[in-house]
Amino acid sequence: MRSIDDLVQAPPESVSQHDNKIDVIPLVGIGGLGKTTLAQMVYHDDSVKNHFNLQMWVCVSDDDRDFEVKRVIHQIVNVASVGDTRVDQNPSLEELLTLLKQILYEKRFLLVLDDIWNEESWKWELLRGHLESACSDMNSKGSKIIVTTRRKTVASIVGTKPPILLRGLPHKECWELFVKCAFREAKEAEEYPWLKGIGKVIIEKCKRVPLAITTLGCLLRSKQCDKHEWEKIRDSEIWELDAKDDGILPSLSYELIMLWMAHGLLQPVNNEEKEPEEIGELYIKKLLSISLLQLDEYIPENELSIISAAGLNELKMHDLIHDLAKSTMKKSTKDSDKTRTIIASQTSQESFVEWTSHEFKHLKVLHLEGRDLELLPDDCFAKVKHLRYLSLSECDMPEKLPGSICKLQILQSLDLSDCYNLLELPESIKNLVSLLILFLTLSATSFPFMEANYFQQLRCLFITNCENLVSPSGALGRLIVLKKLVIHNCIHLVNFEDEEEEEGKKHVIIDDLKLETFMIFESPKLKALPKWLKRSIKALRYMGIQGTGIEALPEWLPNATSLERLYINDCQGLSSLPDNMEQLQSLIH
């Protein structure tokens, strides 16, 4: 197979040999073969980075196979832009093309378009035409586009170079990968010869696809060499499901059981006493380990642990597994009396208004993302009293939440991140007595709603993009069971209000807090950490500080003997660490 390195780093002069100004290199293969992984390896290679002035990665998800050119250009502009150059949610095509030209001017770029399905050549020609027009100067010569696709017809439409065809693993490598995943030790494969034959049949049904072999192998590992369990998977009727273009979707269906568990059925293992979010984290780690879930973007290894501890990394489902999930959902009932989950991030405003008129007696999950909720009826949540998870992330909100939200007394998770119009939470928010996880973005200078005895079950609090926040309430230091506090991009945050600074208020000071994770990123005006953080000295395990004006770390920090990871970056006012940092015997990084 030709070297993709040679293709991507071909000298600019080679472009003149083609009618097209931008070389397009297709990577073709069925789902799960590793097209995206190969593209990522090239994208993050140091020699590739040095060759291009600009790199952009756009996932053109198969959720939208009509390939809207404007939407793709919008994605390209957003991933290539920083700061004020990012555009609104619904710009005109003219605005996008102007920004695209500004971004690509005098730059040799690498663009990865991941997961392309469009077979309408005129749409591709239109997109490529816009890109070539935007980079019409001489310095843009040598720009490349890598396209990943499952379809050879797509490759023939978009490619200016012969496609790179990915094939299944050779039989020997298939078996070696399966043994590594399915057995704790390689010798077990010989100790259980009756499993060897079953395993080889399963491999053939996996079509030699690494993702399928890995996921099923890891699942079988948990069966502890039980022949009956292995045979159940080999002989299951699940292999007879429609397999669409790839022919291997059925091999992944057993892993959906784990997804359902992670969705809400969190049960402790071996009667261990763990909080629900801790059990959920264990599930996530398991799903990551068997490639059922993946990190949404590349994260340097030295930063992964601290970002994971903060909960800032985003996860994604492989598109092949997503296809399988959708295929199984086709059999789901549409009866609102049985509906337990609604994800309405792509619905129209009209359908959303229609939805609010229904009564969902058993609804537990409601995810509304990026919707216009300005006309949200005040009683819209009155009929979903059994809701446990509510996300209004990135929604255009009125300045106040509907009062009926405070009737959700068993709500466990509330996501109000990036709701920039929201000024305050209602006083009756105190009725959310079961709230465990809160993501919050407010256009307010303080949090007056956060008073004593509010949110006393809260375990995870994420305060993000509160650009007007100057000083949060001292009640943060009275969240007695809070384990994770992350503050991100609150650029005007000056200080933390401590209990003794709240005039006229009497509080019970908690001696010991349970805070394990404290992260604060991008608050350049903040000079000092909160005083109440000292009361977490026995519990604190992860601390991250980045982009702040902090001038000194607290003197008590060396006594935080449970601290495992300390991450400090871009704090220019911080000139030294406290004495006796060698006392931190638990520190790993």
Side-chain angles (χ1 to χ4, degrees):
M1 188 178 73
R2 293 173 298 110
S3 169
I4 193 170
D5 236 22
D6 294 339
L7 291 174
V8 173
Q9 299 195 61
E13 290 75 17
S14 65
V15 180
S16 62
Q17 299 174 8
H18 305 280
D19 295 334
N20 303 293
K21 299 176 183 177
I22 305 175
D23 280 338
V24 182
I25 306 162
L27 296 181
V28 186
I30 64 175
L33 275 183
K35 301 181 296 296
T36 299
T37 300
L38 177 57
Q40 286 176 337
M41 291 175 64
V42 173
Y43 190 83
H44 294 295
D45 184 83
D46 288 339
S47 60
V48 173
K49 290 180 179 179
N50 293 333
H51 183 73
F52 295 100
N53 307 116
L54 175 66
Q55 291 180 254
M56 301 165 288
W57 184 291
V58 173
C59 182
V60 190
S61 170
D62 61 341
D63 287 335
D64 188 4
R65 297 185 184 182
D66 57 357
F67 193 79
E68 289 296 334
V69 172
K70 177 184 173 182
R71 179 179 62 83
V72 176
I73 293 176
H74 194 177
Q75 289 178 279
I76 293 172
V77 169
N78 271 342
V79 299
S81 302
V82 292
D84 296 334
T85 56
R86 290 183 69 87
V87 295
D88 295 331
Q89 287 189 358
N90 191 28
S92 67
L93 179 59
E94 290 73 19
E95 290 174 314
L96 289 171
L97 293 178
T98 298
L99 284 171
L100 186 66
K101 191 165 186 176
Q102 293 173 358
I103 290 166
L104 300 185
Y105 181 68
E106 292 190 342
K107 290 186 177 69
R108 184 165 65 234
F109 65 83
L110 171 64
L111 170 63
V112 177
L113 296 176
D114 190 23
D115 198 17
I116 295 288
W117 292 79
N118 170 58
E119 295 183 353
E120 297 178 274
S121 59
W122 69 269
K123 287 186 176 181
W124 172 255
E125 293 298 335
L126 183 59
L127 173 62
R128 186 170 60 191
H130 286 317
L131 289 169
E132 292 179 347
S133 177
C135 63
S136 58
D137 55 280
M138 292 294 294
N139 291 330
S140 296
K141 287 189 174 181
S143 295
K144 311 284 183 182
I145 299 176
I146 296 176
V147 168
T148 72
T149 180
R150 299 188 204 174
R151 298 182 175 178
K152 293 181 180 179
T153 51
V154 173
S156 66
I157 290 171
V158 305
T160 65
K161 295 283 188 178
I164 296 176
L165 302 177
L166 274 66
R167 307 185 187 280
L169 290 176
H171 289 283
K172 180 181 178 182
E173 281 76 7
C174 284
W175 177 248
E176 290 175 351
L177 177 61
F178 181 79
V179 168
K180 182 178 179 180
C181 295
F183 297 98
R184 289 175 174 78
E185 297 182 17
K187 63 181 181 180
E188 287 185 342
E190 303 301 327
E191 294 175 359
Y192 298 93
W194 53 89
L195 296 182
K196 189 173 182 179
I198 300 173
K200 290 195 172 182
V201 173
I202 292 174
I203 286 176
E204 288 303 312
K205 291 188 175 185
C206 287
K207 308 295 184 183
R208 297 188 292 143
V209 173
L211 177 64
I213 294 171
T214 300
T215 51
L216 272 183
C218 291
L219 177 62
L220 290 169
R221 186 188 187 101
S222 66
K223 303 304 181 183
Q224 298 181 340
C225 299
D226 186 322
K227 181 181 178 182
H228 177 66
E229 292 292 336
W230 282 50
E231 290 175 336
K232 281 172 58 178
I233 293 179
R234 180 198 63 190
D235 302 330
S236 173
E237 63 182 15
I238 199 70
W239 298 100
E240 305 303 322
L241 285 179
D242 291 339
K244 303 176 68 174
D245 296 332
D246 299 328
I248 64 162
L249 284 180
S251 66
L252 302 174
S253 60
Y254 285 91
E255 297 303 329
L256 292 175
I257 297 172
M258 296 187 183
L259 283 178
W260 293 329
M261 293 175 67
H263 187 257
L265 303 177
L266 301 174
Q267 300 297 326
V269 180
N270 299 326
N271 296 320
E272 294 182 2
E273 294 185 3
K274 291 185 178 294
E275 303 293 349
E277 68 275 8
E278 294 176 314
I279 300 171
E281 289 177 358
L282 292 176
Y283 287 170
I284 292 297
K285 290 178 181 178
K286 178 64 175 178
L287 293 170
L288 282 170
S289 71
I290 60 176
S291 302
L292 191 58
L293 291 180
Q294 302 169 349
L295 291 174
D296 189 41
E297 58 182 284
Y298 174 78
I299 299 175
E301 185 175 353
N302 63 329
E303 297 181 14
L304 181 59
S305 60
I306 200 71
I307 292 175
S308 299
L312 295 177
N313 54 298
E314 295 185 2
L315 301 172
K316 67 178 180 180
M317 184 185 295
H318 191 279
D319 58 345
L320 180 62
I321 297 170
H322 189 227
D323 280 350
L324 177 62
K326 289 193 297 183
S327 70
T328 59
M329 286 296 292
K330 289 180 181 177
K331 299 180 180 179
S332 299
T333 177
K334 295 184 179 180
D335 185 352
S336 63
D337 285 340
K338 298 180 180 179
T339 300
R340 286 170 169 76
T341 300
I342 291 179
I343 299 178
S345 59
Q346 300 297 326
T347 57
S348 66
Q349 178 66 9
E350 290 75 17
S351 63
F352 173 73
V353 172
E354 181 183 356
W355 166 82
T356 62
S357 65
H358 290 288
E359 182 172 0
F360 295 91
K361 297 179 180 180
H362 302 286
L363 190 66
K364 294 183 179 181
V365 173
L366 177 57
H367 184 96
L368 308 174
E369 182 177 344
R371 308 310 310 152
D372 182 359
L373 305 183
E374 290 284 351
L375 302 178
L376 204 64
D378 191 62
D379 63 347
C380 62
F381 297 112
K383 298 179 180 180
V384 289
K385 295 181 180 179
H386 296 285
L387 207 62
R388 294 183 179 179
Y389 170 94
L390 173 62
S391 175
L392 304 177
S393 176
E394 299 183 26
C395 289
D396 290 332
M397 301 283 295
E399 293 184 352
K400 295 183 180 180
L401 288 172
S404 58
I405 197 172
C406 300
K407 296 181 180 180
L408 304 177
Q409 295 187 9
I410 65 171
L411 189 70
Q412 296 176 341
S413 300
L414 176 59
D415 188 349
L416 299 174
S417 59
D418 297 334
C419 296
Y420 294 103
N421 295 335
L422 197 60
L423 285 178
E424 59 181 305
L425 301 186
E427 182 179 350
S428 53
I429 200 75
K430 62 184 179 183
N431 294 334
L432 301 184
V433 294
S434 302
L435 200 62
L436 301 177
I437 302 172
L438 175 61
F439 288 79
L440 188 60
T441 299
L442 289 181
S443 295
T445 58
S446 61
F447 294 162
F449 59 87
M450 192 168 283
E451 297 291 343
N453 300 322
Y454 284 23
F455 307 117
Q456 291 302 293
Q457 299 301 316
L458 198 65
R459 289 174 171 79
C460 302
L461 175 59
F462 297 82
I463 301 173
T464 63
N465 298 319
C466 295
E467 297 182 354
N468 297 324
L469 181 64
V470 174
S471 180
S473 169
L476 288 177
R478 296 191 298 278
L479 297 176
I480 57 177
V481 298
L482 189 69
K483 290 190 174 182
K484 182 179 294 184
L485 175 61
V486 178
I487 302 173
H488 182 253
N489 199 31
C490 296
I491 59 176
H492 289 109
L493 180 64
V494 175
N495 58 45
F496 288 86
E497 189 179 48
D498 284 286
E499 290 87 344
E500 59 269 24
E501 298 170 359
E502 296 183 289
E503 296 182 2
K505 298 180 181 180
K506 295 181 179 179
H507 310 294
V508 176
I509 304 300
I510 309 298
D511 290 334
D512 293 328
L513 297 178
K514 296 182 179 180
L515 193 65
E516 296 180 356
T517 300
F518 177 82
M519 305 285 176
I520 183 160
F521 300 150
E522 310 308 326
S523 293
K525 296 183 179 181
L526 183 69
K527 302 298 183 183
L529 296 178
K531 296 179 181 178
W532 49 256
L533 189 59
K534 182 178 181 179
R535 300 203 303 279
S536 298
I537 193 170
K538 297 179 181 179
L540 198 62
R541 296 176 58 197
Y542 307 99
M543 178 183 286
I545 306 169
Q546 176 175 300
T548 73
I550 289 177
E551 298 173 346
L553 294 177
E555 295 181 357
W556 53 262
L557 187 61
N559 296 320
T561 53
S562 297
L563 192 65
E564 296 178 9
R565 291 181 173 89
L566 177 61
Y567 176 79
I568 303 173
N569 185 40
D570 192 22
C571 296
Q572 299 181 9
L574 185 63
S575 59
S576 63
L577 297 176
D579 295 334
N580 302 321
M581 290 292 285
E582 67 275 4
Q583 295 179 194
L584 296 175
Q585 299 296 322
S586 300
L587 199 63
I588 300 173
H589 295 294

